[in-house]
Amino acid sequence: WCLGVICVAMFISTMDMTIVNVALPDMSNDLDAGIGELQWVLDAFLISLAGLLLVGSGLADRFGRRRVFLSGLVGFAAASVLTAASQTVGEVIAARVLMGVAASCVLPPALSLLAVLFPPELRPKAVGIWSAVGGLGLALGPVVGGVLVDVAGWRWVFLVNVPFVLLAAPLGRRWLPESRRPGAPPLDVPGAALSTVALTGIVFALIEGVDAGWTSPPVLCAAVAGVAAGLAFFAIELRRTHPLFDV
């Protein structure tokens, strides 16, 4: 049953990576969004998820894996509702950032919980099931999204997450064990900030460069800031006793 709860979280997290794609045309017509803005609807989620994935793992190790996992799961549902209720494309992008932040608190603790729940001889099977469910979510995303957009509208590609969370969160609170990493190191806040700035700056330049021109001041500033933050990230991580990422 614990594996089922974790797999539900994995399913909606991965499905969200592909379900939005088919809703973009309707979203563009409804919110008058351009190509660059639609690209941010996709990438805002992925950048915040990638930038904070290691932070989510550190939070789970220090403050409890079940606590962080369930908090991220509930936060994912809340951010999904905010995205569905958005009236402008800017609001959609901001809510998608929150969805990525919440997902970064779901995926790392899920793997840690699997390691706690299952002995070594059963762990490969459990991780295999968990990964297969994630692959199923990726594959079903466009199909489910197409049906929802056709039947109910683009907002339902986000609201579809809520019933899954309403089912999984209470069961997870009841069944999942709490655990922490003994002697967990302090969080590397500078590393987290620099990695997020690096990802955001570089991706911003790549997206906006197509529309605004590669030599426009905002694009150049974002590219320089992203590359500088990336270099600073590696320099700082090499010197820290407990780096966010051991380069």
Side-chain angles (χ1 to χ4, degrees), residues 183-226:
L187 291 175
D188 180 11
V189 177
L194 287 171
S195 66
T196 304
V197 170
L199 283 168
T200 305
I202 293 171
V203 174
F204 179 90
L206 292 173
I207 293 174
E208 296 298 322
V210 177
D211 293 330
W214 300 105
T215 57
S216 66
V219 171
L220 289 176
C221 289
V224 170

Side-chain angles (χ1 to χ4, degrees), residues 50-172:
L52 297 173
L53 202 61
L54 294 174
V55 177
S57 179
L59 289 172
D61 287 342
R62 288 179 62 83
F63 300 109
R65 289 153 182 164
R66 185 187 70 168
R67 177 182 298 175
V68 173
F69 174 82
L70 294 178
S71 299
L73 195 59
V74 173
F76 190 81
S80 298
V81 173
L82 288 177
T83 310
S86 299
Q87 300 302 310
T88 66
V89 68
E91 293 177 0
V92 173
I93 293 170
R96 291 284 288 168
V97 170
L98 295 178
M99 290 181 70
V101 172
S104 71
C105 293
V106 172
L107 298 179
L111 273 174
S112 299
L113 285 168
L114 289 179
V116 172
L117 286 167
F118 295 96
E121 62 271 15
L122 292 178
R123 206 169 294 155
K125 184 177 180 180
V127 174
I129 294 172
W130 182 76
S131 302
V133 170
L136 182 65
L138 288 171
L140 287 180
V143 179
V144 175
V147 172
L148 289 173
V149 169
D150 187 50
V151 172
W154 65 267
R155 299 181 189 276
W156 281 91
V157 303
F158 303 108
L159 292 176
V160 72
N161 298 322
V162 177
F164 288 97
V165 175
L166 292 177
L167 173 66
L171 298 179

